[in-house]
């Protein structure tokens, strides 16, 4: 069911990227919404909505928008509260069955709590990216991921943590219905949607997931770090290490021992970074940060970080649902080899229903566009792919 507003929504999306330096106009959520304890959290089932907060400033395209807090489970199976957005179109769904749900994994805005996707900072790019999906009449739910804005540690690009956060957001949206779900993620969100595709059959078999979209996703953490080392975005490679320290507090000492004084200071500083802070921090060479002068990539192959890196690498478990992978070949934020390697690994693992789309813009675009560009221009094709997945649900 294709609404005529798709072209308009894509146009708005492109314009929004150009204007993304302007803060979103939504009122920020109160600190209590994110951090106030939830009584007897363990008693709630995964996906239960614990708290709601209307955000009328974000009622775009005639929708109703809420911040939500929902129950999830961390990689150690402990109950955690995760925040996000739930956006429901006001118009009645006229397609077959219940209204489909798009579980959307936002890209990374940083690892400080203030960088979460449902916060005022994150909303600048989160909501515009949802417009073409909302224009189709789909309900969209987003996740801020475990520990980002809410209590607990944020495991940046953690395979299990991000997958569970996304799948439980889908449960929150679906509720008691059997609505078809499409997992959708771009950039860091693509890591979440790819990981969720691998884990849905074991973690959330109750969901009717009919497809997964993975856009420009750094699903191999080693390649991500090596690709950013020495670049203007090099400080963001520290997100991965900070995430591992947070996820494995029992191993924090041996991980931090791999770094010299300058490296430890950079790791500590990065904990408070949104991406603009990381860019302002300047270029770094990881060899200048480590205790023995080895590159960070080398350490991620070593005995301390190697097993943790492998555990967070996606592609060795085949999803049992259709997948679409999209990326621009000149993407400077995430190398195109990430998408190619993911497709290669999944095919080797047995996945056959996989569509891969690469976009060649014939030149490198300005930094504000080169990474999100493929997400924007792919929307008409992706919307058609989603429609076909939903139609056979």
């Amino acid at each position: 069911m294709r609404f005529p507003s798709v072209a308009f929504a894509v146009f708005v999306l492109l314009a929004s990227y150009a204007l993304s330096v302007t803060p979103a106009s939504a009122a920020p959520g109160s600190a209590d919404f994110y951090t106030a304890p939830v009584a007897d959290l363990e008693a709630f089932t995964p996906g239960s909505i614990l708290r709601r907060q209307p955000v009328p400033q974000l009622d775009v395209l005639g929708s109703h928008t809420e911040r939500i807090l929902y129950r999830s489970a961390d990689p150690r199976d402990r109950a955690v509260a995760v925040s996000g957005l739930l956006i429901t179109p006001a118009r009645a769904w006229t397609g077959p069955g219940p209204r489909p749900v798009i579980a959307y994994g936002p890209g990374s805005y940083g690892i400080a709590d203030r960088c979460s996707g449902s916060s005022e900072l994150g909303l600048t790019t989160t909501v515009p990216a949802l417009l073409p999906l909302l224009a189709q009449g789909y309900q969209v739910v987003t996740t801020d991921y475990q520990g980002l804005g809410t209590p607990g540690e944020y495991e940046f690009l953690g395979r299990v943590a991000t997958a569970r956060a996304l799948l439980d957001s889908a449960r929150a949206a679906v509720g008691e219905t059997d609505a078809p779900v499409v997992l959708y993620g771009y950039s860091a969100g693509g890591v979440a949607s790819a990981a969720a595709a691998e884990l849905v059959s074991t973690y959330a078999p109750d969901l009717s997931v009919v497809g997964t979209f993975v856009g420009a996703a750094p699903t191999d953490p080693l390649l991500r770090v090596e690709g950013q080392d020495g670049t203007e975005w090099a400080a963001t490679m520290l997100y991965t290490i900070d995430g591992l320290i947070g996820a494995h507090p029992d191993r924090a000492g041996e991980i931090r021992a791999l770094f010299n004084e300058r490296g430890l200071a950079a790791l500590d500083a990065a904990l408070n970074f949104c991406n603009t802070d990381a860019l302002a921090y300047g270029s770094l060479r990881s060899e200048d940060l480590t205790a023995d002068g080895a590159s960070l990539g080398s350490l991620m192959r070593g005995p301390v970080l190697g097993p943790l890196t492998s555990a967070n690498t996606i592609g060795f478990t085949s999803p049992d649902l259709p997948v679409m992978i999209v990326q621009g070949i000149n993407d400077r934020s995430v190398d195109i080899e990430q998408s190619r390697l993911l497709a290669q690994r999944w095919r080797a693992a047995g996945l056959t229903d996989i569509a891969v789309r690469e976009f060649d813009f014939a030149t490198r675009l300005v930094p504000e566009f080169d990474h999100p560009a493929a997400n924007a221009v792919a929307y008409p094709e992706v919307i058609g792919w989603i429609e076909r997945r939903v139609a056979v649900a």
Side-chain angles (χ1 to χ4, degrees):
M1 182 174 73
R2 184 184 300 274
F3 288 102
S5 51
V6 174
F8 169 74
V10 172
F11 170 79
V12 172
L13 174 63
L14 288 165
S16 298
Y17 279 124
L19 299 173
S20 62
V21 294
T22 303
S25 58
S30 67
D32 283 349
F33 179 84
Y34 293 97
T35 61
V38 176
D40 204 14
L41 181 58
E42 290 280 357
F44 292 90
T45 58
S48 297
I49 296 180
L50 310 168
R51 198 171 289 155
R52 297 174 181 265
Q53 181 184 72
V55 192
Q57 300 94 331
L58 295 179
D59 287 348
V60 294
L61 299 181
S63 63
H64 174 61
T65 303
E66 301 172 283
R67 284 190 181 89
I68 59 171
L69 194 73
Y70 62 93
R71 197 266 206 199
S72 189
D74 73 9
R76 289 153 293 284
D77 294 321
R78 298 174 300 190
V80 291
V82 183
S83 53
L85 294 173
L86 180 61
I87 309 177
T88 306
R91 77 173 80 185
W93 173 251
T94 58
R99 187 189 302 272
V101 169
I102 309 294
Y104 186 92
S108 172
Y109 312 115
I111 61 174
D113 281 344
R114 72 182 189 282
C115 317
S116 66
S118 72
S119 69
E120 188 171 20
L121 179 62
L123 291 170
T124 301
T125 49
T126 297
V127 173
L130 309 180
L131 295 179
L133 303 169
L134 293 168
Q136 300 307 294
Y138 301 138
Q139 184 181 48
V140 178
V141 64
T142 75
T143 180
D144 291 339
Y145 308 112
Q146 297 179 12
L148 189 59
T150 49
E153 299 297 337
Y154 173 42
E155 189 177 350
F156 178 72
L157 302 185
R159 178 175 177 266
V160 175
T162 59
R164 290 184 172 187
L166 188 63
L167 292 169
D168 285 326
S169 75
R171 282 171 161 155
V174 166
E176 299 300 319
T177 75
D178 60 352
V181 174
V182 174
L183 306 173
Y184 193 114
Y186 197 84
S187 192
V191 173
S193 64
E198 292 189 347
L199 299 179
V200 61
S201 63
T202 54
Y203 180 71
D206 51 295
L207 289 175
S208 177
V209 179
V210 298
T212 298
F213 172 83
V214 180
T219 51
D220 188 311
L222 176 59
L223 292 182
R224 177 187 179 273
V225 164
E226 291 185 329
Q228 292 178 325
D229 202 346
T231 72
E232 67 271 25
W233 288 103
T236 65
M237 67 185 175
L238 301 173
Y239 294 177
T240 299
I241 307 303
D242 279 328
L244 292 176
I245 292 172
H248 303 278
D250 56 317
R251 304 192 63 184
E254 61 181 317
I255 295 174
R256 289 178 64 86
L258 298 172
F259 294 86
N260 60 26
E261 186 174 339
R262 182 184 176 191
L264 292 173
L267 284 171
D268 291 342
L271 288 170
N272 297 310
F273 283 176
C274 292
N275 289 342
T276 51
D277 303 306
L279 184 60
Y281 199 76
S283 62
L284 297 170
R285 292 177 64 254
S286 63
E287 292 91 338
D288 298 330
L289 307 179
T290 60
D292 62 359
S295 70
L296 188 50
S298 177
L299 293 181
M300 291 174 70
R301 294 181 177 90
V304 176
L305 296 179
L308 305 180
T309 300
S310 296
N312 287 300
T313 301
I314 299 166
F316 298 106
T317 300
S318 174
D320 56 2
L321 48 84
V323 172
M324 185 176 194
I325 298 175
V326 164
Q327 190 168 4
I329 66 171
N330 291 311
D331 190 329
R332 285 173 287 181
S333 297
V334 177
D335 193 277
I336 185 63
E337 290 305 317
Q338 288 268 16
S339 289
R340 292 171 178 171
L341 184 58
L342 177 64
Q344 175 186 326
R345 286 172 170 169
W346 270 344
R347 285 177 174 135
L351 179 62
T352 57
D353 195 346
I354 180 171
V356 179
R357 186 76 164 88
E358 296 183 359
F359 289 90
D360 185 354
F361 301 110
T363 183
R364 287 187 171 186
L365 305 176
V366 296
E368 290 78 10
F369 282 94
D370 71 345
H371 184 51
N375 193 29
V377 301
Y379 260 119
E381 187 173 342
V382 174
I383 291 296
W385 180 83
I386 292 174
E387 285 180 344
R388 293 190 293 275
R389 304 284 74 76
V390 170
V392 299

